Amino acid sequence: MKSSQLRDKYSFSFWDSSIVASALHADARLLFSEDMQAGLIVEGKLEIVNPFR
């Protein structure tokens, strides 16, 4: 359910929304990804970081 909401709200792919939902569920503050939008803060809690920048 949460991943579907994230997919709609942030236009994530199916797989990315599942990863982000899992990270939020685990109370992660950072998510490293070269494929998602770097600097995006999801739900005011989780920041997407590109490890190659």
Side-chain angles (χ1 to χ4, degrees):
M1 179 73 161
K2 183 67 175 177
S3 63
S4 295
Q5 293 169 346
L6 291 169
R7 186 174 184 195
D8 291 340
K9 185 173 181 180
Y10 295 97
S11 299
F12 289 135
S13 71
F14 172 80
W15 299 112
D16 287 348
S17 65
S18 296
I19 292 166
V20 171
S22 295
L24 286 169
H25 181 73
D27 290 324
R29 299 288 176 221
L30 296 174
L31 176 64
F32 292 93
S33 173
E34 64 181 286
D35 297 325
M36 291 186 232
Q37 180 184 347
L40 178 65
I41 299 180
V42 180
E43 302 294 292
K45 300 177 184 178
L46 178 69
E47 181 179 359
I48 308 297
V49 177
N50 183 336
F52 299 112
R53 281 193 173 177

